[in-house]
Amino acid sequence: MPTRRDFILNSAGAMAGIAFVGCDLLAARDAQAQPAKRRREVVVSGRRVKTVDVHAHCAVPEAMALMGLKVEPQTLVMGQERIRAMDEQGIDVEALSINPYWYKAERDLARALIRMQNEKLAELCASQPERFVAFATVALQHPDLAAEQLEEGVRKLGLRGGSIGANVAGEELSDPKFHPFWAKAEQLGCLIFIHPQGGTAGFEQRLRGSGGLANVIGNPLDTTIALSHLIFEGTLDRFPGLKICAAHGGGYLPSYAARSDAGCVTFPDRCPKPLKKRPTEYLRQLYYDSIVFTPEALRHLAAEVGSGQIVMGTDYPFPWMKTAVDHILNTPGLSDAERAAMLGETASRLLGIK
C-alpha cells in the first residue's frame, strides 16, 4: 500500500483520473471552457472566511469500468473547469464524495474497486491540497470490510471521513449487521456523509412520470427514512459519538420533526425500543448541508437543528445550488458568527481543514 507521501510525490496528472458525477448523471451537460476569472473571496463582518463545500460529487472512471459502467459525458473528467467554478462561486475547499454504485458487488470486486477509488481520491487531494479533501468510499454491503476500508482511508490515505448511501441495496443503515461500520466510524471520530440512493429505496414506482419525482421527492425521502431508522432503532443511542452529515438538509425530517415525538406518545406500542431522549433531540447531534433553496427554509432548518449543525453544500457539478454562499449570506436572522460557521468553520473543524 503506497503511503500518503508517495501520493504527494506522484500526483502529477491526478486531476485527469477523476470525473465529476452528481445526483443525476444523465442530466449532466458538457462543460464549456470559460475565461479565467478572479477568485471570489468571501468576507463576513470584515473578516475573510474559508468556505467549504461538503456536497460535491466525483467518480473514478477506472473503478466504474470494473462494474462495466462508464462516466458520461467525458467532459466531466476532472480539470481546471472545476477550479474555475469554485473560484467563481467563492468555494475555497470541496469535500469530494462518490455516490455508491457498487453495493451489489461481491467481496473481492468490491475490495479492488474501493481501493482504486480511495487511492485516486487521495492522489487528487494531494495534487490540490488547498482546494480538495475527500470522503473515503466503503463497500458497506460487507460491513467488516467497510470498517477496514474506512480506517485505511482515514489513517493511511489522509481522507477525512466516509461517504455512504442512505440505504444499502434496500437494507436500512440501522440494521445490526452494520454495527461494525458504525463502531469504527465512532472510534475514528470522523464525519460520515449520507447521500440518498436513487432507485433502491423501494418507492420508485409511485415516483414515475413528469417532474423528476424520483429525484425531487425520492432523494430527500430516502434520507428522511434513513435518519428516522437510525433514531428509532437505537443506532444513535448505541453509538452516541457518531458524526453524521445528511445531504439535502436532512430530507424532510427537520421540516416535520415534531410528528416523530408525537408518534410515540400517540401510539406507544409502535415504539417498542426505548430511546434515551425525544426523537427530535437527536436532530441536534447530526449535521446537515445547506441545500434547502430558500432563506426561510434555511432559517427553519437552523431553528430546528441549531445553526452550528449546518454546513454549506452545492451538489456540484449539478446546478441545484450555484449560489450556496449567497444563500447563507443573505438569509435574514443569522448572526455573522452563524454565517461564518455555516460557510466553512464548522466543516473545517469536522474535516480537519486548516
Side-chain angles (χ1 to χ4, degrees), residues 19-25 27-31 53 55-59 71-73 75-78 81-82 85-86 89 94 96-97 99 314-322:
F20 305 151
V21 173
C23 294
D24 189 355
L25 179 60
R29 296 294 183 266
D30 293 353
D53 175 10
H55 189 158
H57 296 284
C58 67
V71 178
E72 296 178 351
T75 49
L76 291 177
V77 172
M78 196 75 140
E81 177 62 26
R82 168 70 62 117
M86 292 169 64
Q89 294 181 29
E94 281 189 344
L96 299 170
S97 57
N99 282 0
T314 67
D315 217 338
Y316 193 87
F318 297 93
W320 289 98
M321 185 56 69
K322 283 186 174 181

Side-chain angles (χ1 to χ4, degrees), residues 85-107:
M86 292 169 64
D87 289 349
E88 182 177 349
Q89 294 181 29
I91 306 297
D92 293 316
V93 181
E94 281 189 344
L96 299 170
S97 57
I98 300 177
N99 282 0
Y101 55 88
W102 53 85
Y103 280 165
K104 293 185 178 180
E106 53 84 20
R107 190 179 185 92

Side-chain angles (χ1 to χ4, degrees), residues 266-334:
T266 306
F267 303 108
D269 58 311
R270 300 181 187 180
C271 300
K273 296 185 178 181
L275 301 178
K276 294 183 178 179
K277 48 192 175 183
R278 290 184 298 122
T280 52
E281 293 182 62
Y282 293 93
L283 299 185
R284 290 183 170 261
Q285 72 187 60
L286 306 175
Y287 296 89
Y288 311 82
D289 75 23
S290 61
I291 305 178
V292 293
F293 303 105
T294 68
E296 172 56 23
L298 185 60
R299 182 211 63 77
H300 179 72
L301 180 61
E304 291 294 323
V305 306
S307 60
Q309 305 304 112
I310 301 173
V311 290
M312 185 172 62
T314 67
D315 217 338
Y316 193 87
F318 297 93
W320 289 98
M321 185 56 69
K322 283 186 174 181
T323 57
V325 169
D326 294 317
H327 181 213
I328 293 170
L329 290 176
N330 297 333
T331 293
L334 299 177

